[in-house]
Amino acid sequence: MALAIWTCSTARAYNWLQFQFGPDKTGNNTSETTVNASNVSQLQLLFDVALPGSDNPDGAPVYLSNVSTSSGTRNLVFVQGENGHLTAFDANSGAIIWSNGSMSGSYGNTAPAIDPDLLYIYESGPDGNVHKFNVGDGSEVKTGGWPVSTGGGKASSQLTIATAADGNTYIYCANEGTGSGTFGKGHETVINLATATEHVFNNCASEQPDTFNPSTSTTGCRPWSRSTIFDAALNRVFFQTGNNSGTNWVAGHVWRESWLALAPDGSTTTNSSGGWPVDSYTPTNWSSLVNGDEDIGTGGMALLPVGYSSKYPYLGVSPGKDKNIRILNLANLSGKGAPGNLGGELSIYSFSAMN
């Protein structure tokens, strides 16, 4: 497989640090004023180059301008292959500036992300770790607690980096985890970039947070959304739990076919009745969705502008494999003011054209 980059003759440089531009995953770059509906047809192929090791990606590239490298100041495009190759290409010529090798372990559906300081790029590797590399030469940082474990299993969502209301910056990693057979237990790992400390939310055993080996035979609550979403207006993180094996959903313990809201640091509230996210949404027909392998959040979730609705200022739009589009109140996902309830979507629209 090759990397193809397109350009417009009047384009200028700006940074694209993570999948869908920012942590809210809107893909809305307000700095882009050059490319528009009237000139998009003028885009031309700039280069087409083979990827090292024939390591095909299943995630988006990221871009950083004005990087100091051994060959001078370059604009770089970074691409991660399914087997862990992370390669920095010259964004103008396609020349390889640096590349690391493949890693052992499960292949991944993830993509790298660059930190807000523009010094480091992070990769969730198939070896079950998040690695930290210098953007200019690809050298790995192995001090200060790095690399940081994500518990293994496929990295199934593209990385998100966000700065919370308290000023801490976190990286969000969703993994299938490990378990019996081929299907892991599923979890979200949240890492503080400054301290390399982490919290783990376990989808199949939420009463046992901050471990990659919860004591449970339940498996299959795997995250399948293309990325975790940070909503700065609510100071919450949203991620989706899908399904690959198993049939149960148990509030406070097992979360299938659900959108979960977490605190920015990924911490879990535990009590005598289980382990709890900040909020949750699970459709009333979750059982039939599980049986049909119709994950509700594989299309991700789009955040609508705050205040688009005066009655429900915080709205999310979630397309699913069941060919339905759900409108959710992100400030109160189930409408019942607490996690662990069923239903509560504001609207469901059937859209048969979705595959």
Side-chain angles (χ1 to χ4, degrees), residues 294-305:
E294 296 177 315
D295 300 321
I296 64 168
T298 51
M301 182 162 61
L303 306 184
L304 296 186

Side-chain angles (χ1 to χ4, degrees), residues 90 116 173:
D90 184 295
C173 321

